Amino acid sequence: MTGDAWLDGSPSPSPLLRGLARNPAAPVDVLLRLLDSWPEQVCDGLLHRRELPPPVRDAMLHHPSPRIRRALAAHPQVDPLARTTLLADPEWRVRMRAFGRPGQEPLPDDVLVRLLTELDGPPSDIPFSREELIGELFAATRYDQRLFRLAAAHPRPGVRRFAAGSSYWLDERSRQALLEDEVPDVRAAAVASLARQQQVMEPADLPDQHSHAFWYVLQRPLSRALVDHVLASGDTDALRVMGENPGVPPDVVETLLRHPDPSVRQGVTCRVDLTDDQLVRLATDPAVEVRTAVSTHPGLTEQQRAGIDIDVTTVPGDGHFGSVDVRCRWVPYPNDAAPDITDALRWARSANPLLRRRAARHAGLPADIVTVLADDSDLGVRVLLAQHHPAAPPALLLRCYLEYHCCGRDRLSELPQFPTEGLARFADNPDPAIRRLVALDPHADPDLVDRLSTDADATVREAMASSPRLPAPRVTALLDDPELAEAAAANPALTVDHIQQILDRSAPG
């Protein structure tokens, strides 16, 4: 490190310390020293480490800094036992962070029951009501049905009353138990919630303008007067949403099916009560988005499905596959509920790529199905299989990374089975995301990595600064670069001497 580091516009200690905290080769004693001496500066770096050694996790668990404990609570590797300890933390922000995040191992039932008990009578240091706290817990668990079942059977009436007010999320058994609860307030909440759910909406209930409340009303039971009101309005967006409502009468469904606007006809395609004649008409609709939407309908045979001319880019949530110019509108998280295995096995061999995409999201598909789907003609099928199946072939991961340009692309290169050999061949690829792969190649030419460390794209420069193939003198020089210092400090090839220099020069005095 040069003698002028951190004096003339060079990086302050914080970026360097953050980089060391996420350096995969940093020894445990270095990580513990960082925790002991610079906890506020390194908490974000520790949060973004792929691996937390057990001694470091233990030190974070009992660290005096709430920010460090919050970082542990949010880390994917935090185990349920440590989260249970954090749920009793003296700092309320730590406790709430320990509620859970996507990718973490779920808490056991007894811990959730105990947590619900505590939230029923929250301590005074938490600036939220019981309802808000329990609502935060349900949101953190992504409205896990298991949590609703535990809440509905909870020994505390306050918790059961909260569950009773959410009848939409309850299974039939839990809903019935709350309707027969021994506590009058719980029964009343369950009855009121069910009544709200079953209440027939009238024209006066529909807001004047499009809003969340507007769309919510159209998904509720509708009176004939409200149905006729929406029909007369000519509001195609409202008609499309109303067409999905299972309570709409058959004559109205037929009217919507004949509507001149394709989006209205598309809204009808998901209905399970469509007749064979209606399905045939929708399958031959002049608008490709309508044909595509109905092509997954369970009332169609595979032979009928195979004969429908579709365009998968017209389906919301699926259209982002295959085009660099299409923004991701919605992408399932890796741990979203997968289809039933019986359905997945059937869909995996469907002529319809949208059904094969659904199948590809099941992590339990057998090896022979994985082999077939890995070579599927549809990019969406291949990408979803790569993102969700733990045995996705390495060649598939690389192929998807090269061909796919939207949400979740970078996650592919972070998977343990992502292939790294030979990635240096992409050094001159016009896509910066592909040029970044050179940093993963264990045999990349150091001179090539050095050249890319001055690439026009900042993300490529950062990736090369963290590459262990970057020549040692260049790594040392980048420690003084305000832009790349943190990435260089995260380089696993950084020598023990340089790590020690960073620590010594960061020390007070």
Side-chain angles (χ1 to χ4, degrees):
M1 193 177 283
T2 66
D4 294 330
W6 313 332
L7 297 179
D8 285 326
S10 297
S12 67
S14 292
L16 294 166
L17 295 171
R18 281 198 304 271
L20 286 183
R22 62 183 178 89
N23 190 318
V28 169
D29 62 326
V30 168
L31 297 177
L32 293 177
R33 183 178 175 187
L34 290 171
L35 271 172
D36 183 58
S37 301
W38 303 279
E40 300 303 308
Q41 292 93 331
V42 303
C43 57
D44 288 341
L46 292 169
L47 173 60
H48 292 97
R49 284 184 64 87
R50 289 195 184 185
E51 302 288 337
L52 283 177
V56 177
R57 274 182 275 175
D58 189 61
M60 293 176 71
L61 181 62
H62 300 99
H63 200 280
S65 169
R67 289 190 65 193
I68 290 292
R69 302 196 301 275
R70 289 204 303 271
L72 177 63
H75 198 280
Q77 277 198 339
V78 64
D79 59 271
L81 183 60
R83 278 178 62 201
T84 300
T85 301
L86 293 168
L87 287 170
D89 194 275
E91 164 64 45
W92 66 267
R93 292 178 180 85
V94 177
R95 300 199 295 272
M96 290 189 66
R97 185 65 64 88
F99 283 179
R101 294 169 69 86
Q104 291 180 337
E105 187 178 347
L107 294 168
D109 288 1
D110 62 322
V111 173
L112 287 174
V113 170
R114 186 164 67 248
L115 177 56
L116 286 168
T117 301
E118 295 167 357
L119 298 182
D120 186 47
S124 58
D125 68 318
I126 301 183
F128 299 105
S129 68
R130 173 185 64 194
E131 288 73 18
E132 289 172 328
L133 285 170
I134 298 180
E136 286 291 327
L137 175 61
F138 276 88
T141 61
R142 307 184 72 184
Y143 302 96
D144 188 344
Q145 292 296 310
R146 178 175 63 110
L147 184 57
F148 275 99
R149 289 194 295 270
L150 293 173
H154 198 277
R156 296 288 290 268
V159 177
R160 299 200 305 278
R161 186 163 57 247
F162 180 91
S166 307
S167 62
Y168 174 83
W169 296 98
L170 297 172
D171 57 46
E172 186 58 37
R173 182 176 180 180
S174 297
R175 186 184 298 113
Q176 190 58 41
L178 292 169
L179 289 170
E180 300 171 358
D181 197 277
E182 61 183 15
V183 177
D185 283 353
V186 176
R187 291 199 306 274
V191 170
S193 178
L194 187 60
R196 285 194 303 271
Q197 187 178 339
Q198 297 176 343
Q199 180 184 355
V200 177
M201 297 288 99
E202 299 291 346
D205 296 313
L206 188 68
D208 294 332
Q209 296 180 337
H210 291 177
S211 61
H212 289 299
F214 184 95
W215 307 120
Y216 178 63
V217 166
L218 292 180
Q219 297 171 50
R220 305 276 300 279
L222 307 177
S223 69
R224 183 63 197 228
L226 179 52
V227 170
D228 291 340
H229 171 78
V230 176
L231 284 173
S233 72
D235 184 337
T236 55
D237 289 335
L239 290 170
R240 174 181 54 79
V241 174
M242 188 176 73
E244 301 171 1
N245 191 313
V248 170
D251 66 298
V252 177
V253 173
E254 184 64 29
T255 298
L256 296 176
L257 190 145
R258 298 177 183 276
H259 196 278
D261 191 298
S263 69
V264 175
R265 304 196 300 276
Q266 189 176 14
V268 178
T269 58
C270 64
R271 301 185 64 89
V272 297
D273 58 353
L274 294 174
T275 66
D276 292 342
D277 174 68
Q278 290 172 333
L279 284 172
V280 169
R281 279 188 282 152
L282 289 169
T284 56
D285 193 279
V288 66
E289 61 267 37
V290 177
R291 301 195 302 271
T292 304
V294 80
S295 68
T296 60
H297 196 283
L300 294 171
T301 67
E302 272 301 303
Q303 183 177 5
Q304 290 175 310
R305 229 184 291 282
I308 303 175
D309 180 23
I310 67 174
D311 178 358
V312 295
T313 65
T314 65
V315 181
D318 286 280
H320 63 275
F321 291 111
S323 173
V324 180
D325 301 322
V326 177
R327 294 180 61 86
C328 304
R329 288 167 286 183
W330 175 83
V331 179
Y333 285 94
N335 59 340
D336 273 354
D340 179 83
I341 186 61
T342 303
D343 289 332
L345 292 174
R346 185 174 72 255
W347 293 337
R349 301 188 182 279
S350 173
N352 187 285
L354 296 174
L355 289 179
R356 299 200 303 275
R357 289 181 185 184
R358 295 181 190 177
R361 295 183 59 239
H362 200 295
L365 290 174
D368 59 328
I369 299 295
V370 171
T371 300
V372 171
L373 295 182
D375 197 36
D376 196 276
S377 59
D378 179 73
L379 174 64
V381 174
R382 300 195 301 272
V383 169
L384 290 169
L385 182 70
Q387 289 178 334
H388 291 85
H389 204 286
L396 171 68
L397 300 184
L398 178 58
R399 180 185 180 186
C400 290
Y401 188 93
L402 298 176
E403 297 175 350
Y404 177 59
H405 301 88
C406 284
C407 305
R409 183 189 197 186
D410 287 338
R411 285 203 304 266
L412 296 173
S413 63
E414 297 169 358
L415 293 172
Q417 70 269 38
F418 189 85
T420 57
E421 297 281 345
L423 296 180
R425 68 185 185 275
F426 298 119
D428 296 313
N429 192 282
D431 184 350
I434 296 178
R435 293 201 300 278
R436 289 199 300 267
L437 294 178
V438 175
L440 302 178
D441 191 332
H443 304 298
D445 188 321
D447 290 338
L448 175 61
V449 178
D450 192 1
R451 172 170 71 82
L452 289 175
S453 71
T454 62
D455 192 90
D457 184 84
T459 64
V460 175
R461 296 195 297 272
E462 290 178 4
M464 300 308 138
S466 296
S467 170
R469 299 295 293 170
L470 186 66
R474 179 65 172 155
V475 177
T476 303
L478 291 181
L479 292 172
D480 293 338
D481 185 317
E483 178 194 43
L484 299 175
E486 181 175 342
N491 195 314
L494 196 66
T495 66
V496 174
D497 287 343
H498 278 117
I499 290 177
Q500 194 61 49
Q501 287 183 36
I502 294 173
L503 296 178
D504 290 345
R505 299 190 61 167
S506 302

